[in-house]
Amino acid sequence: MMKLEHLGIAVKNLTDAERLFSDLLGTNPYKQEAVPSENVVTSFFRVGEVKLELLESANEDSAIAGFIDKRGEGLHHIAFEVPDIEAETERLKQMGFNVLYDKAKVGADNKLVNFIHPKSASGVLVEVCQEIAE
Ligand code: ZN
């Protein structure tokens, strides 16, 4: 059973976006974290049971830099939490989804992550994630 975990928003400037969303939500981010494997710096807000993940590119070669070049700032991905990401990755592949990685990678916020290409998901980049057990 999937559960909406967070929405990812691509931003040009993390400090500006943190200020904006702090004003908008009336709360500060609970975490800022660099993810070197994805060349991004992230910032997380809690909004009820869901989170917002702001993503700023750490360099020009990142997927976020490419996204902003092409489409500007905005909604970048939606993330669903699953109980078993390996099994889910297999299931999605068998269903014909274009899954980006053969094996889930370590992402931000203590999660294993994988992605479904927007071309096989109605134009939406979909992240599947699983909390890494302590
Ligand atoms: Zn995410």
Side-chain angles (χ1 to χ4, degrees):
M1 175 71 177
M2 291 196 183
K3 158 182 164 254
L4 184 60
E5 215 280 335
H6 66 269
L7 302 173
I9 298 172
V11 304
K12 283 186 181 158
N13 182 295
L14 196 60
T15 308
D16 290 350
E18 278 180 333
R19 198 172 303 131
L20 187 153
F21 279 95
S22 293
D23 287 349
L24 192 156
L25 299 168
T27 186
N28 290 320
Y30 68 89
K31 168 192 286 196
Q32 198 185 92
E33 186 183 353
V35 188
S37 63
E38 301 281 353
N39 294 314
V40 295
V41 185
T42 63
S43 182
F44 284 88
F45 290 82
R46 282 186 214 285
V47 190
E49 306 219 337
V50 180
K51 299 162 187 165
L52 278 191
E53 175 186 30
L54 306 179
L55 304 119
E56 180 195 62
S57 176
N59 65 46
E60 290 152 22
D61 302 325
S62 73
I64 292 299
F67 177 90
I68 289 176
D69 269 357
K70 258 202 330 221
R71 302 170 59 170
E73 291 184 297
L75 187 62
H76 178 257
H77 64 272
I78 60 176
F80 296 109
E81 187 166 44
V82 297
D84 180 346
I85 195 162
E86 295 307 336
E88 198 58 35
T89 296
E90 272 318 302
R91 187 185 73 86
L92 291 166
K93 278 193 215 161
Q94 278 174 16
M95 298 286 291
F97 288 99
N98 179 352
V99 178
L100 259 50
Y101 308 128
D102 273 340
K103 261 190 86 63
K105 302 207 300 187
V106 176
D109 202 27
N110 196 41
K111 298 275 197 302
L112 288 170
V113 301
N114 209 333
F115 292 91
I116 300 172
H117 195 282
K119 280 197 174 123
S120 69
S122 295
V124 178
L125 178 63
V126 174
E127 174 184 333
V128 286
C129 60
Q130 179 188 357
E131 184 103 17
I132 297 169
E134 302 285 304

